[in-house]
Amino acid sequence: MYSRMALLFILMTGLMGCPSRSNKPPVKGADCIWPAEAIIQNSFSRIVKNEGGSQSTEELKLLVYVQIRDAFGDSIKALGQFRFELYRYKSGINNDVRNAQRYESEGVQLFDLSAVSANQALWDRTTQCYRFELKCPKDPGVAQGLVTQVTFDNGRIRLNQVQVINR
């Protein structure tokens, strides 16, 4: 009984045929994968002591890990420019950069990763993120944290995110 039903099913699906292919040209791989979001990975990003700093003054640097994801949520590499803006952290405003005060000297830092060699140099294979070392402002309030805004721009797409990074 079951063998007759299986044979009938196979014959019926064979008679229906396969769907016809569309006349659209095939999509190239690079055209369908574009950056959709830039994420500061707070679990990896942190404020650390600079190894080359002197013993008397505590010099700090900011390690920021930025992950670029495509529309499917997968981590991808992307050529473009990263712009970091550092703001003074105040517990009342948290991630709101509209009311925050940006630092003057180290407030804006740019990284151009349009060249493949520069892009590869900052790529961290373990975390699937870009690893940036930023100069920390010389301010005692940095120890509480920094409001960090990253903007990624490749000429076609501009993405940004704001995150508080603690020590």
Side-chain angles (χ1 to χ4, degrees):
M1 171 86 177
Y2 290 112
S3 61
R4 288 183 187 169
M5 287 178 63
L7 182 60
L8 181 63
F9 177 74
I10 291 172
L11 290 175
M12 298 259 319
T13 56
L15 293 175
M16 291 178 6
C18 297
S20 62
R21 293 182 69 186
S22 64
N23 293 332
K24 294 180 184 177
V27 178
K28 294 180 181 174
D31 292 340
C32 64
I33 300 176
W34 285 101
E37 63 181 329
I39 299 172
I40 296 175
Q41 291 294 339
N42 202 20
S43 57
F44 303 127
S45 301
R46 62 194 176 280
I47 300 169
V48 296
K49 288 184 182 179
N50 196 357
E51 293 174 7
S54 63
Q55 297 290 354
S56 60
T57 60
E58 184 177 340
E59 294 186 23
L60 301 174
K61 65 181 174 182
L62 178 63
L63 296 180
V64 180
Y65 287 79
V66 178
Q67 184 179 33
I68 303 293
R69 291 185 183 171
D70 63 4
F72 305 108
D74 296 327
S75 179
I76 60 171
K77 295 180 183 178
L79 299 176
Q81 187 177 45
F82 288 86
R83 174 187 170 102
F84 291 92
E85 297 181 31
L86 303 178
Y87 296 90
R88 189 177 314 272
Y89 175 75
K90 293 182 182 175
S91 60
I93 61 171
N94 288 339
N95 292 355
D96 190 5
V97 295
R98 292 173 292 178
N99 299 325
Q101 178 184 0
R102 188 172 71 196
Y103 288 101
E104 293 297 324
S105 60
E106 290 88 6
V108 177
Q109 299 179 40
L110 300 173
F111 293 87
D112 188 11
L113 300 185
S114 299
V116 176
S117 59
N119 197 298
Q120 284 293 98
L122 294 178
W123 179 255
D124 185 16
R125 292 169 51 186
T126 306
T127 60
Q128 298 290 299
C129 300
Y130 290 102
R131 181 182 185 267
F132 297 97
E133 290 187 14
L134 304 176
K135 297 175 189 170
C136 260
K138 293 179 174 46
D139 180 19
V142 169
Q144 296 174 359
L146 280 171
V147 178
T148 307
Q149 178 177 355
V150 62
T151 303
F152 171 76
D153 185 9
N154 67 358
R156 181 176 176 182
I157 296 171
R158 180 174 288 169
L159 309 168
N160 70 14
Q161 189 200 18
V162 177
Q163 185 74 37
V164 176
I165 298 177
N166 298 317
R167 189 164 183 193

